[in-house]
Amino acid sequence: MRICVLWMLIVVCGSRSEERNYQGYSQIIPQHPVILRGSSLTLACVLGKNELSYANASHIYWKLDEDLIPEEYYSIVNETVSHVTIRNFTAQRRHVRCYIRALKHPQLLQQTELTSGFPPEKPENISCIYYDQKNFTCTWMPGRDTYLKTNYSLVKRRPGDEIICHSSHSSCFFLYPNINFTSEYEIEVIAENALGEARSDLVYVNTLKLVKTAPPELVSVEPLQGMKQMLTVIWKRPLLVPYSLSVKCNLQYRVANSTWILLNDIYMGQEKRMAYNLTGLLNFTTYAVAMQCICTDGQIFWSEWSAEKTGRTEEQAPSRKVDLWRVIRHQPDGKR
């Protein structure tokens, strides 16, 4: 049924194009078609005035790239219009060309690009993160590859307010100040390409629960003079944290090339800078330290781990008397 309707449209378009084209050159209708992969399409090659002076539609033949299309797929509508039907097209992209058998040599009349793909699937698994005074970012699963240019619209709504972010990928973000802390929003993702549209289910979010901080900045990892087997770790409050929220952190440390030892939930509160003592360490040993943080008001996203910083514990003093040896050498003149 779809092919029949398309055939009728092309016949009509071809007839109208004959009138428009009588003063011009040949053309293929439709131009740059996009079809569902595995389906069929009928195209029309319409002769212009220049070609009608020495030929008609019966002289037209077709190629798919450089492959000749068999004549059994041709049909002549009238003296100016030739149709070709391409069946079960599964290539991603190919060129369709119509030629005319001229007096001496074949002549290329016109060409167009035929593309196939799939309509978009419904976006799934929408996940959003709020970076305070920076942006609000959402990602989603787009479904199978469409093999076509597919555009996405991330829609953020609340009563009296709707903002749309456009993207060609499976993520998009709203820049500060177009997002408010502690606000509830309705989120929807719309996928569109030449073959159709798909909408996600509505998702309701509260930015208060979606805060993600930057990794904390490690200031130093150093021994405290006179304290053996200990390192003091100092770090700064992470960026991208709303001023009103408290923070807690995880700390991990290790000797080079060994397994990490994890210390959970070190409470920082609203302090701008904090120190923590690692005890029970090995003497005169280098340790690597890294940290991550999260806000304590019901947030679900931990920051990434910070860059590692290293420090070395103090050397342990000897526990018993040390033997001291001195080597005295005689010089040639007899002096020592």
Side-chain angles (χ1 to χ4, degrees), residues 105-266:
H105 303 287
Q107 176 185 333
L108 174 64
L109 296 177
Q110 194 55 263
Q111 68 176 2
T112 190
E113 189 175 64
L114 174 58
T115 305
S116 78
F118 300 100
E121 294 184 331
K122 183 173 81 170
E124 302 276 5
N125 299 331
I126 300 172
S127 176
C128 301
I129 300 176
Y130 176 75
Y131 301 95
D132 187 49
Q133 299 187 41
K134 185 179 179 183
N135 67 55
F136 178 76
T137 299
C138 293
T139 59
W140 55 88
M141 297 295 294
R144 69 177 176 181
D145 191 349
T146 66
Y147 301 97
L148 300 172
K149 181 181 179 181
T150 301
N151 296 314
Y152 298 91
S153 299
L154 172 65
V155 185
K156 174 181 67 69
R157 303 186 188 95
R158 63 177 181 174
D161 177 26
E162 178 177 292
I163 302 178
I164 301 176
C165 173
H166 298 286
S167 173
S168 58
H169 307 289
S170 56
S171 69
C172 207
F173 59 86
F174 302 99
L175 290 172
Y176 180 83
N178 291 323
I179 193 77
N180 295 318
F181 179 50
T182 70
S183 293
E184 293 187 350
Y185 292 98
E186 177 186 273
I187 301 296
E188 182 181 28
V189 177
I190 304 169
E192 298 177 276
N193 66 19
L195 295 180
E197 173 186 297
R199 292 174 176 260
S200 72
D201 295 331
L202 297 179
V203 175
Y204 298 90
V205 301
N206 187 324
T207 55
L208 173 63
K209 305 299 181 182
L210 302 175
V211 174
K212 184 173 181 177
T213 78
E217 179 186 349
L218 289 176
V219 177
S220 63
V221 179
E222 296 179 348
L224 187 62
Q225 188 172 3
M227 301 297 294
K228 310 303 180 185
Q229 301 177 322
M230 189 181 83
L231 288 172
T232 298
V233 182
I234 300 175
W235 70 95
K236 293 181 180 179
R237 178 180 171 90
L239 299 176
L240 310 182
V241 179
Y243 299 117
S244 60
L245 297 185
S246 296
V247 172
K248 65 179 179 180
C249 301
N250 290 339
L251 184 154
Q252 61 181 4
Y253 66 97
R254 66 177 176 180
V255 178
N257 300 320
S258 65
T259 303
W260 287 105
I261 299 172
L262 180 63
L263 301 175
N264 290 315
D265 298 339
I266 301 172

Side-chain angles (χ1 to χ4, degrees), residues 24-41:
Y25 297 94
S26 300
Q27 59 182 310
I28 289 180
I29 302 173
Q31 272 288 308
H32 309 297
V34 179
I35 65 172
L36 180 66
R37 182 158 297 185
S39 64
S40 302
L41 175 70

